[in-house]
Amino acid sequence: MKAVFYNPNFERPEPERSIRRLERDILRMGALVEQSFRLSHQALFNRDLTAAEELPRLDKKIDHFYRQIESDCTSMMTLQAPTSQELRCFSAFMQLVRDLERIGDYAKDLAEIAIKIFPYPPHPYLTEIALMSDHAQAMLATSLVALADLDEVSGRRIKFLDDAVDSAYENLYRMLASQRDVPGIIEPILLLTLAIRCLERMADHATNIGQRVAYIVTGQR
């Protein structure tokens, strides 16, 4: 993994070590969020309730990382007299872990939706929604690789990938909202509408992560 501001002749080793440690912790948190997203996908589209039951445990770990990283960033900003570049990095990290934490929350929401929708027959639009989920997961993976490599170009490119998720959301919402003469109760349609909203927001947070990586590298928002 690349360090953010590594220079072998740099005489401020403590902030440098702190930043590298934060990077490692954020990537560990990111790996947990990726796992949560995968499990929520299994729960909703493979009707795997065992996967759904794993989400609360993972969410607690994600929340622990979030609180710890935020606390560490705050301490380093106030106690180590950081440079302007280091302040930029700490600030971006605090925002970035918030995006990861929200993706984890949405994954837990998807698992709850999977449990509620389980008694109903699979909906005809599930295949299209699963593709939307696949795309959002790929965006998250790309954003984490961009962070690990400090790749500004990949970080900014994620915003363009988000267009496909936004388009899928609009199409699926229109199809779900325009259904007529639905037999029985409409709870499955309401639940799937919530599911696609979760996926759309997860993709937005993945986009934010990419933008924050670009900010770390360039200092430009």
Side-chain angles (χ1 to χ4, degrees):
M1 180 194 308
K2 296 181 182 177
V4 175
F5 301 115
Y6 180 68
N7 183 336
N9 298 317
F10 200 47
E11 295 181 356
R12 304 183 73 252
E14 184 55 38
E16 179 60 42
R17 283 197 296 269
S18 297
I19 289 173
R20 288 203 299 269
R21 185 176 68 250
L22 281 169
E23 285 180 322
R24 289 194 294 269
D25 286 345
I26 292 169
L27 290 172
R28 290 188 186 109
M29 179 182 178
L32 289 174
V33 173
E34 281 193 289
Q35 184 181 359
S36 292
F37 204 157
R38 285 194 299 271
L39 287 172
S40 69
H41 184 101
Q42 289 176 225
L44 185 56
F45 303 110
N46 298 343
R47 301 171 67 83
D48 184 351
L49 296 190
T50 301
E53 292 168 357
E54 284 290 303
L55 266 295
R57 178 184 63 83
L58 279 175
D59 191 60
K60 288 181 180 178
K61 291 184 177 181
I62 291 167
D63 288 345
H64 175 76
F65 266 113
Y66 169 61
R67 291 190 295 268
Q68 185 61 55
I69 293 167
E70 188 175 58
S71 176
D72 288 346
C73 285
T74 301
S75 297
M76 292 170 198
M77 291 171 71
T78 56
L79 300 177
Q80 293 188 0
T83 65
S84 59
Q85 284 185 321
E86 290 161 354
L87 278 172
R88 183 175 84 213
C89 193
F90 293 140
S91 174
F93 281 171
M94 291 175 72
Q95 296 175 71
L96 193 153
V97 293
R98 177 58 177 164
D99 287 309
L100 285 172
E101 191 269 342
R102 291 301 296 137
I103 294 173
D105 284 346
Y106 283 121
K108 188 172 70 169
D109 291 344
L110 286 174
E112 292 172 358
I113 290 170
I115 292 170
K116 291 178 180 178
I117 208 170
F118 183 81
Y120 300 102
H123 194 277
Y125 295 157
L126 271 181
T127 300
E128 287 87 347
I129 299 173
L131 289 174
M132 183 182 176
S133 176
D134 287 336
H135 199 94
Q137 287 182 77
M139 289 176 63
L140 174 60
T142 301
S143 72
L144 292 172
V145 172
L147 174 63
D149 295 339
L150 290 177
D151 185 343
E152 172 206 354
V153 174
S154 292
R156 293 194 186 282
R157 188 179 296 138
I158 296 168
K159 183 170 180 62
F160 299 102
L161 300 177
D162 190 44
D163 292 342
V165 173
D166 288 341
S167 177
Y169 171 77
E170 292 171 3
N171 291 335
L172 284 162
Y173 182 89
R174 184 171 57 253
M175 289 190 296
L176 289 167
S178 64
Q179 287 189 272
R180 297 287 187 270
D181 301 322
V182 179
I185 60 178
I186 64 169
E187 185 179 26
I189 296 174
L190 296 176
L191 290 171
L192 290 178
T193 303
L194 291 174
I196 62 172
R197 179 57 176 166
C198 288
L199 291 169
E200 190 266 342
R201 294 300 298 138
M202 293 162 99
D204 284 346
H205 285 292
T207 301
N208 289 347
I209 293 169
Q211 297 296 302
R212 302 194 200 292
V213 170
Y215 174 66
I216 290 171
V217 176
T218 67
Q220 298 178 354
R221 295 189 181 276

